[in-house]
Amino acid sequence: MVKIEFLGPINKESMNLDINNLSQLSEILKNDKDISTWLDSCAVAINDTLISSKDIELKDGDKVSLLPPVCGG
């Protein structure tokens, strides 16, 4: 299982999914109206390391974090 956490204003409880890559995660999250609007603007981290490709293989116990853009001053 892979733990998915949603940070900041996404305001969604973490979930555990049986997935092998980020493309599978993207397909699942596209069907959730609360999350789908965030998908294009979020950065993604796997085990606290930012990534830029959906082709990374996920392993049991990995943590995927969706990080929405944040404004600050």
Side-chain angles (χ1 to χ4, degrees):
M1 290 296 232
V2 175
K3 180 178 182 176
I4 315 302
E5 66 177 11
F6 307 97
L7 303 178
I10 297 176
N11 198 27
K12 182 85 171 176
E13 290 293 320
S14 296
M15 59 176 65
N16 293 303
L17 298 173
D18 188 16
I19 56 175
N20 298 318
N21 58 51
L22 293 177
S23 293
Q24 289 177 328
L25 176 61
S26 180
E27 288 302 313
I28 292 168
L29 296 181
K30 283 180 186 177
N31 295 318
D32 186 319
K33 67 180 180 87
D34 294 329
I35 298 172
S36 62
T37 57
W38 291 101
L39 292 180
D40 289 333
S41 61
C42 282
V44 177
I46 297 175
N47 300 322
D48 300 323
T49 301
L50 289 175
I51 55 96
S52 59
S53 172
K54 287 185 179 180
D55 297 328
I56 297 171
E57 183 179 337
L58 297 172
K59 300 173 199 76
D60 188 40
D62 280 347
K63 177 180 73 172
V64 176
S65 303
L66 290 156
L67 303 106
V70 178
C71 294

